[in-house]
Amino acid sequence: MSRSIHPERHYSSRNNWLRAGVLGANDGLISTASLLMGLVAGGTDGRTLVLSGIAALVAGAVSMSAGEYVSVSSQSDTERADLAKERQELDRNPEAELRELTSIYESRGMDHALARQVAEALTRHDDLQAHARDEIGLSETCLL
């Protein structure tokens, strides 16, 4: 699968890691602050408070990192399985898959002849990438 040569920079491809980073930072700050407020309310001394704060920050960072790794790995595994299934379908019945791709383009507003021409051209270029993007919904960044 080829990398896009599009010259303009778009930032939406970064949304997932940005969202995860913001969520992780907010979660870490709020849970650590809540823990420390509870300790202060309980009359904990300063040394224990600092040590508890550091431990909470480290534990939160490790927890969020591990959770994000498992989440991304699960998504990757699912995408690989979908691509393998699609590859099998393309190998077993390429004409049915070409009709399916044609139908997808027709549903987006192309007339049948143009939809078929586009489906054939994209299939010749990279059949799996065309189906991954337009049938399964995997973006080019998922396919790299």
Side-chain angles (χ1 to χ4, degrees), residues 27-28 31-32 35 51-67:
D27 181 60
S31 59
T32 301
L35 171 72
L51 184 60
S52 297
I54 291 170
L57 286 173
V58 170
V62 170
S63 173
M64 289 301 289
S65 299

Side-chain angles (χ1 to χ4, degrees), residues 34-50 52:
S34 298
L35 171 72
L36 294 177
M37 287 186 333
L39 289 171
V40 167
T44 301
D45 65 88
R47 184 171 177 212
T48 302
L49 192 62
V50 169
S52 297

Side-chain angles (χ1 to χ4, degrees), residues 5-143:
I5 310 173
H6 190 67
E8 296 173 4
R9 293 185 66 183
H10 295 279
Y11 301 107
S12 60
S13 63
R14 302 176 191 174
N15 284 346
N16 284 339
W17 69 260
L18 179 61
R19 187 191 73 235
V22 169
L23 175 66
N26 283 334
D27 181 60
L29 290 172
I30 292 168
S31 59
T32 301
S34 298
L35 171 72
L36 294 177
M37 287 186 333
L39 289 171
V40 167
T44 301
D45 65 88
R47 184 171 177 212
T48 302
L49 192 62
V50 169
L51 184 60
S52 297
I54 291 170
L57 286 173
V58 170
V62 170
S63 173
M64 289 301 289
S65 299
E68 185 64 15
Y69 175 78
V70 169
S71 172
V72 168
S73 294
S74 297
Q75 180 179 348
S76 242
D77 290 345
T78 303
E79 290 169 357
R80 274 195 299 275
D82 278 346
L83 289 172
K85 179 181 178 193
E86 193 61 32
R87 171 48 58 207
Q88 285 180 336
E89 292 173 7
L90 286 163
D91 291 344
R92 273 189 251 168
N93 199 344
E95 183 55 36
E97 290 298 309
L98 188 60
R99 284 192 307 269
E100 185 176 32
L101 202 54
T102 300
S103 172
I104 290 168
Y105 299 139
E106 286 176 316
S107 73
R108 292 184 184 165
M110 291 183 196
D111 65 53
H112 178 75
L114 180 58
R116 178 70 181 212
Q117 184 181 6
V118 170
E120 288 172 349
L122 291 174
T123 296
R124 276 192 306 274
H125 175 70
D126 188 334
D127 59 350
L128 184 58
Q129 184 180 40
H131 283 269
R133 180 185 55 247
D134 295 323
E135 179 185 342
I136 302 171
L138 298 179
S139 68
E140 191 171 333
T141 52
C142 296
L143 302 172

